[in-house]
Amino acid sequence: MKTKQKIYVLSIILLILLFLYLALGLNPVIWRYALSLRIPKTIALLLVAASIAFSSAVFQTLTNNRILTPSVLGLDSLYMLIQSFIVFVFGSGTLARLGENFNFIVSVAFMVGFSLLLFRFLFKREERNIFFLLLVGLVMGTFFQSLSTFMQVLIDPNEFLVIQNRMFASFNNMNTDILWLALLISFLAVLFALKDLRTLDVLSLGRENAINLGVNYDYMVKKFLIIISILISVSTALVGPITFLGLLVVNLAREILKTYKHNYLITGAILIGSIALTFGQLMAERIMNFSTPISIIINFIGGLYFIYLLLKESKI
Amino acid sequence: MIEIKSVVKQYGRKRVLDNVSLNIEKGKITSFIGPNGAGKSTLLSIISRLIGKDGGEVYLEGQLVDRIDYNDFARRLSILRQTNHINVRLTVRELVSFGRFPYSEGKLKAEDLEHIEKALEYTQLQDEQHKYLDELSGGQRQRAFIAMVIAQDTDYILLDEPLNNLDVKHSVEIMKILRRLVRELGKTVVIVMHDINFASCYSDHIVAFNKGQIVKEGEVEEIIRKEVLEDVYDTNFVVQDIMNRRICFYY
Amino acid sequence: MKKRYLLVLLILLSIISLFIGVRKISLQDILRFEDAAMRTMVLSRIPRLISLILAGMGMSISGLIMQQLSQNKFVSPTTAGTIDSAKLGILFSLIVFPAANTIVKMLISFVFALAGSLLFMFILRKIKMKNTVIIPLIGIMMANIIGSVSSFFAYRYNLTQSLSSWMQGNFSMVIKGRYELLYISLPLVLIAYHYTNQFTIAGMGEEFAFNLGLNYNSVVNIGISIVALISALVVITVGRIPFLGLVIPNLISIYYGDNLRKNIIPTALAGAIFLLFSDILGRIVIYPYEIPISLTVGILGSIIFLYLLFRRNH
């Protein structure tokens, strides 16, 4: 029952932060307008936190490894390639004219399509394991990166600013229409996974034990990988890449909750992720007036935490 | 009964299993022996569907195993591999509870709890049940995994070198547990064994493998013989009866 | 025996490389010591050729050393955080000592590269599950993290784009006076050659090395220092060249086996050949413009790497 109590405490912290974020600095004159800005931002924050926490937790279970995040699939690099390509070929004007909606749909479609192709190609043969898939994803990621670096260097510095803004996740200037679409897609993806959540506990015992306990391992891995790629694509296309948030929150959730059960672990990770993002945004917007995008700070902290994890653990 | 019909497995050009056919009878302990790389573990993995095969069929009580639904299969046949490295930190009881997953899908009912208790009792792990696996000795950990398989309550239990890295006392303990399972609960046990004398003392039936093929199978008296073993292992053997058991010397 | 072919190929490509470019230069011009032609040669073409050969040799040998020390075919300066640490070092020098000359920048970058690679080797020893693929994955994760630290500071100091252009591997900017630093890699390669047997033994593990009376730590430190220094040199003079240290040693080991002593010269030659070839390709594909070498190497390298992966997995 201790685990449950911790979950309650985390929920309360989140609620307080959310209240602060929404309410701080409101005044009678502009409250209506301010809230109309803040509420969508809050929803986006929670959506991104939940998507990333969920997919990272599941990903770590599938790979049986605490120090990987879905970013090794190469999706972030692909997203940056798409953005660089659009600006490089059509100019930032086109990017603006086409509208955020179009950009969002194209990006998501390409990212999900790429992952499906990758999975399909790799799972055709039995002996190929998930690590093999990751290495291929990484190579593709490096490949995408060299392509986009090439374009970025050629782009005019003013246009480059447009790309740079997209390199780092930001919750400002979000389009509400996309938000609803993103919410819907992510919701459907999670719904598709919901009934198999308990299977994740078994998957964390490794392939052989999972098969022994009656789990269709290969099918489950494929299914969860597809869900992960959808969630990551949607949240990346919505706000931009936040690479190490997942690493940070899932490991913190493990540390705090000390459980192997995924229903707690995932709930905890989502709560911690939401707390981290809300707190970061609160600090950035209301208190410090930070000019640095929140994702850079989170990647920075997440990265340091990763190094700490590597050094602390006696075995990995 | 498990019927294996001309099963083939190859990695690249190398045939690990070459047209192997075998019947494994119910209610007995069957041991697979043979030198390293003879295909014993591979066959075990194929029977339990951990790896695919390149030819042939496996039937579980007349049913083609590939046609059996995953969950159903897990209620009838369980496998324990030799490397059981788990990345998650679990207590003994939590591990054993996983054995009930095919029945409970994670929500334990009264019946499941009964099975878990029984499995812990069988393996004498009641006192250790709240300890974490990484706090246990090698023998206790192996017993914990066997307890999980017992909780799974399948008619067929397959074990891949369960005595690996265990000292004499713990090896005997484990073999006694397995014998009891066969005697009291009517389970069918298939073991891959390296220690021929353990195979000789505890099996009902022995299958000798070499180079991906079955060299000979039969009762203990038929297999634990100088000619057969020398043929299988390509080493000199002396076989003697000591206290009504067949014991071999090969040093 | 095959070494001879590699040498012939290298010479052939070198000659081609000298005579390709916007300015047409014929053999007669050279023989007549025609002034403009000679200037182009001395100022631009020859420096470019030499830097290509040096960088190619240096990076492929760095990869070979790292693979030997970590006993993993997929480890290289790019997959072990060395390059990204060197990048962080450049950024650091750009922010803290913007006026410093290239040598100072190189030294700072070297210190960072060394620290990053040593961190990787340290972590490597803790990894229990020595799956062939998990080690490079951890290395790349580490590289990404160091990269994210870089982008944090680059963003704050508005250096993102200039860092991008600095890191983009490119030989078209190499002219006389801006590449000579790369000559330092020559003695480094010789030192590496001298230490081959020690690297092989150290690769077998700490206990094994101790048993043979070898000081494991000092050998690893020497190896990693060589790698870090070469990486820093290459990054500072020409930028990041992905895959080279990964692909070339693997290709060579298919033909020559895993004996380091036997491999080291063919690896160096093949690295230079591969880089020269990619450079020539980049110069002729959209002539008279150039595709930066990081792109051609990136494409060729990722194709070869995927081929190697699938081949291994087969």
Side-chain angles (χ1 to χ4, degrees):
Chain A
M1 294 314 104
K2 255 180 118 187
T3 318
K4 263 189 189 156
Q5 279 166 5
K6 288 176 189 162
I7 297 258
Y8 290 138
V9 173
L10 288 174
S11 316
I12 291 168
I13 295 175
L14 177 62
L15 285 177
I16 294 173
L17 280 172
L18 283 177
F19 175 76
L20 283 178
Y21 179 70
L22 287 173
L24 222 60
L26 282 185
N27 66 44
V29 190
I30 57 141
W31 70 273
R32 220 178 250 279
Y33 174 70
L35 273 187
S36 78
L37 285 182
R38 286 180 190 185
I39 288 175
K41 232 190 253 186
T42 315
I43 295 174
L45 272 175
L46 297 178
L47 173 66
V48 169
S51 296
I52 288 180
F54 180 89
S55 38
S56 303
V58 175
F59 192 75
Q60 292 194 350
T61 297
L62 297 185
T63 53
N64 243 312
N65 195 307
R66 285 183 60 182
I67 51 177
L68 292 177
T69 67
S71 70
V72 291
L73 285 171
L75 290 174
D76 297 1
S77 314
L78 179 60
Y79 174 74
M80 282 321 299
L81 177 62
I82 297 168
Q83 300 308 314
S84 308
F85 182 80
I86 294 178
V87 175
F88 179 68
V89 177
F90 305 109
S92 59
T94 315
L95 191 64
R97 205 168 43 252
L98 285 175
E100 289 291 319
N101 273 344
F102 181 77
N103 190 350
F104 175 79
I105 291 167
V106 167
S107 303
V108 170
F110 265 100
M111 285 190 272
V112 174
F114 165 73
S115 2
L116 289 182
L117 260 174
L118 194 67
F119 301 156
R120 215 189 133 85
F121 179 57
L122 289 172
F123 283 116
K124 259 200 286 196
R125 301 195 25 176
E126 175 195 0
E127 296 87 15
R128 304 236 161 102
N129 60 25
I130 186 162
F131 293 110
F132 183 68
L133 170 104
L134 298 185
L135 206 54
V136 173
L138 267 170
V139 175
M140 300 299 286
T142 317
F143 176 58
F144 295 148
Q145 243 172 26
S146 20
L147 275 178
S148 25
T149 316
F150 169 57
M151 293 176 190
Q152 284 163 22
V153 171
L154 293 183
I155 291 170
D156 163 276
N158 289 321
E159 304 247 288
F160 181 76
L161 281 181
V162 178
I163 298 185
Q164 177 168 315
N165 281 335
R166 298 196 173 266
M167 257 187 224
F168 307 112
S170 154
F171 293 93
N172 304 325
N173 319 319
M174 226 182 6
N175 187 322
T176 340
D177 294 346
I178 315 175
L179 181 59
W180 297 125
L181 188 60
L183 207 56
L184 181 72
I185 300 175
S186 309
F187 179 72
L188 288 177
V190 173
L191 203 65
F192 182 51
L194 221 49
K195 82 171 168 47
D196 294 316
L197 276 192
R198 281 178 197 280
T199 320
L200 285 172
D201 296 344
V202 182
L203 288 179
S204 65
L205 299 182
R207 178 173 186 274
E208 288 174 352
N209 285 312
I211 294 180
N212 173 45
L213 293 172
V215 171
N216 188 345
Y217 180 84
D218 295 331
Y219 166 78
M220 281 298 166
V221 168
K222 254 181 271 184
K223 178 173 171 176
F224 278 116
L225 276 178
I226 291 172
I227 292 168
I228 287 173
S229 66
I230 293 175
L231 289 176
I232 293 289
S233 303
V234 167
S235 81
T236 307
L238 184 67
V239 296
I242 309 186
T243 320
F244 295 118
L245 179 68
L247 190 74
L248 189 65
V249 298
V250 176
N251 279 305
L252 279 179
R254 265 186 236 281
E255 204 94 330
I256 293 174
L257 299 176
K258 294 200 189 330
T259 174
Y260 67 94
K261 290 192 171 125
H262 280 76
N263 44 3
Y264 290 128
L265 201 62
I266 290 176
T267 316
I270 291 177
L271 288 172
I272 294 171
S274 309
I275 290 172
L277 282 186
T278 316
F279 180 72
Q281 197 68 16
L282 188 68
M283 293 299 279
E285 271 184 47
R286 309 267 188 283
I287 297 173
M288 311 236 280
N289 264 331
F290 245 5
S291 61
T292 317
I294 180 171
S295 75
I296 295 189
I297 302 169
I298 288 203
N299 278 349
F300 186 61
I301 298 172
L304 294 181
Y305 182 68
F306 173 79
I307 303 275
Y308 161 77
L309 259 185
L310 285 181
L311 294 179
K312 188 197 73 170
E313 303 272 297
S314 57
K315 55 179 185 178
I316 305 158
Chain B
M1 190 161 80
I2 301 173
E3 293 161 84
I4 297 149
K5 289 188 178 163
S6 35
V7 162
V8 175
K9 176 77 187 174
Q10 49 193 46
Y11 291 111
R13 254 172 255 137
K14 187 175 165 26
R15 280 209 166 183
V16 198
L17 285 177
D18 192 3
N19 257 322
V20 171
S21 299
L22 175 71
N23 289 345
I24 295 169
E25 279 178 56
K26 226 178 156 164
K28 288 190 171 167
I29 293 188
T30 303
S31 295
F32 290 0
I33 62 166
N36 292 329
K40 305 158 290 184
S41 297
T42 311
L43 184 60
L44 214 62
S45 299
I46 286 179
I47 298 171
S48 53
R49 306 202 302 191
L50 292 182
I51 59 174
K53 51 190 179 303
D54 300 311
E57 288 113 34
V58 179
Y59 296 88
L60 179 64
E61 290 177 341
Q63 233 179 327
L64 207 56
V65 290
D66 310 288
R67 297 262 174 80
I68 306 175
D69 153 84
Y70 275 81
N71 189 278
D72 191 20
F73 193 69
R75 297 181 190 202
R76 295 163 63 181
L77 184 146
S78 54
I79 168 119
L80 187 63
R81 289 296 307 268
Q82 48 180 331
T83 45
N84 267 302
H85 175 74
I86 286 189
N87 253 336
V88 212
R89 202 156 180 263
L90 296 176
T91 63
V92 174
R93 198 186 168 84
E94 285 165 346
L95 179 76
V96 177
S97 308
F98 269 113
R100 298 306 294 170
F101 187 82
Y103 303 86
S104 65
E105 305 274 317
K107 282 186 183 164
L108 298 177
K109 291 187 257 334
E111 190 203 335
D112 298 315
L113 295 176
E114 231 169 78
H115 277 280
I116 293 166
E117 290 302 335
K118 213 167 92 189
L120 287 169
E121 187 196 309
Y122 238 88
T123 47
Q124 295 167 2
L125 281 169
Q126 294 108 315
D127 296 336
E128 276 80 27
Q129 58 172 303
H130 296 298
K131 281 193 186 155
Y132 281 95
L133 288 176
D134 50 12
E135 297 165 357
L136 300 182
S137 72
Q140 287 172 322
R141 199 174 315 141
Q142 188 64 305
R143 267 190 286 149
F145 277 100
I146 288 179
M148 173 177 107
V149 170
I150 294 175
Q152 206 176 330
D153 192 28
T154 54
D155 288 341
Y156 293 85
I157 299 175
L158 277 48
L159 305 122
D160 192 354
E161 291 184 32
L163 309 183
N164 212 5
N165 290 327
L166 295 189
D167 60 24
V168 179
K169 173 174 174 263
H170 289 112
S171 300
V172 172
E173 269 173 18
I174 295 218
M175 290 315 295
K176 285 196 168 146
I177 293 171
L178 296 176
R179 266 268 58 115
R180 253 181 89 197
L181 283 174
V182 174
R183 193 176 59 236
E184 293 172 9
L185 305 174
K187 307 281 185 197
T188 309
V189 174
V190 184
I191 320 175
V192 170
M193 288 261 237
H194 258 304
D195 190 321
I196 309 169
N197 288 330
F198 265 111
S200 165
C201 295
Y202 287 95
S203 328
D204 300 307
H205 197 86
I206 299 182
V207 187
F209 286 77
N210 195 2
K211 293 182 185 141
Q213 286 175 324
I214 294 177
V215 181
K216 197 172 166 64
E217 55 157 323
E219 310 271 293
V220 174
E221 290 73 30
E222 293 172 69
I223 304 295
I224 307 298
R225 296 161 67 147
K226 189 176 161 60
E227 326 77 84
V228 179
L229 292 176
E230 286 184 347
D231 183 32
V232 170
Y233 286 98
D234 197 22
T235 316
N236 294 325
F237 275 85
V238 177
V239 180
Q240 282 193 350
D241 281 334
I242 296 177
M243 298 175 74
N244 280 334
R245 310 252 196 195
R246 282 264 165 114
I247 302 296
C248 1
F249 300 91
Y250 41 85
Y251 302 103
Chain C
M1 190 186 83
K2 271 185 189 157
K3 245 182 263 177
R4 210 182 313 144
Y5 296 129
L6 287 175
L7 204 61
V8 171
L9 196 59
L10 180 64
I11 293 169
L12 208 68
L13 284 171
S14 306
I15 296 170
I16 296 175
S17 165
L18 283 178
F19 287 96
I20 282 184
V22 181
R23 223 198 105 89
K24 283 257 176 324
I25 295 176
S26 67
L27 203 58
Q28 279 104 330
D29 296 338
I30 302 289
L31 291 175
R32 272 188 274 128
F33 287 99
E34 207 243 325
D35 206 27
M38 288 309 283
R39 228 187 357 250
T40 315
M41 274 292 169
V42 173
L43 285 182
S44 149
R45 299 280 167 85
I46 292 174
R48 181 171 191 154
L49 175 65
I50 292 175
S51 59
L52 276 164
I53 292 176
L54 288 177
M57 287 184 166
M59 288 310 286
S60 51
I61 285 182
S62 300
L64 187 64
I65 295 174
M66 291 208 93
Q67 285 161 26
Q68 197 69 36
L69 287 178
S70 63
Q71 284 292 296
N72 187 303
K73 289 267 166 213
F74 295 133
V75 171
S76 77
T78 10
T79 53
T82 312
I83 299 283
D84 280 274
S85 311
K87 174 181 168 185
L88 185 61
I90 292 183
L91 181 72
F92 181 80
S93 61
L94 283 178
I95 294 171
V96 183
F97 311 108
N101 63 16
T102 327
I103 304 250
V104 175
K105 286 199 177 100
M106 196 279 295
L107 284 176
I108 293 172
S109 162
F110 161 66
V111 171
F112 274 76
L114 187 64
S117 325
L118 286 178
L119 179 69
F120 176 75
M121 289 306 286
F122 175 72
I123 290 163
L124 200 65
R125 275 195 251 169
K126 292 179 139 197
I127 299 172
K128 283 276 147 35
M129 199 172 109
K130 294 238 191 260
N131 183 317
T132 358
V133 181
I134 204 95
I135 288 169
L137 277 177
I138 289 173
I140 294 171
M141 280 290 284
M142 215 183 88
N144 282 343
I145 279 161
I146 295 167
S148 78
V149 176
S150 301
S151 58
F152 175 77
F153 288 110
Y155 189 91
R156 301 228 67 185
Y157 292 93
N158 232 335
L159 289 169
T160 314
Q161 198 176 12
S162 63
L163 197 63
S164 274
S165 61
W166 198 297
M167 289 308 292
Q168 161 131 43
N170 197 342
F171 284 89
S172 61
M173 311 301 272
V174 171
I175 48 166
K176 188 167 182 288
R178 287 186 55 179
Y179 78 104
E180 284 76 1
L181 220 50
L182 267 180
Y183 279 119
I184 302 176
S185 65
L186 218 50
L188 292 174
V189 169
L190 290 178
I191 298 174
Y193 187 74
H194 177 73
Y195 271 96
T196 39
N197 285 334
Q198 279 92 323
F199 291 151
T200 308
I201 293 170
M204 311 272 191
E206 194 169 354
E207 282 164 27
F208 190 90
F210 181 75
N211 196 27
L212 289 178
L214 193 77
N215 188 340
Y216 177 82
N217 283 325
S218 77
V219 171
V220 167
N221 289 343
I222 290 171
I224 294 298
S225 306
I226 294 175
V227 170
L229 203 49
I230 293 179
S231 304
L233 284 168
V234 172
V235 163
I236 209 106
T237 41
V238 291
R240 161 197 239 132
I241 308 169
F243 291 116
L244 193 63
L246 199 62
V247 167
I248 300 299
N250 274 301
L251 278 180
I252 291 299
S253 84
I254 292 176
Y255 292 105
Y256 288 84
D258 279 330
N259 184 342
L260 191 58
R261 183 125 246 173
K262 219 164 70 188
N263 276 1
I264 193 160
I265 292 174
T267 304
L269 290 177
I273 290 173
F274 181 70
L275 207 56
L276 263 179
F277 177 75
S278 312
D279 184 61
I280 293 171
L281 199 70
R283 279 150 85 180
I284 54 178
V285 168
I286 49 167
Y287 184 86
Y289 302 104
E290 266 190 36
I291 300 173
I293 196 159
S294 59
L295 191 65
T296 46
V297 172
I299 292 171
L300 290 176
S302 47
I303 292 168
I304 298 176
F305 187 57
L306 288 178
Y307 163 75
L308 289 172
L309 259 181
F310 280 89
R311 187 181 171 278
R312 204 185 171 76
N313 217 251
H314 205 68

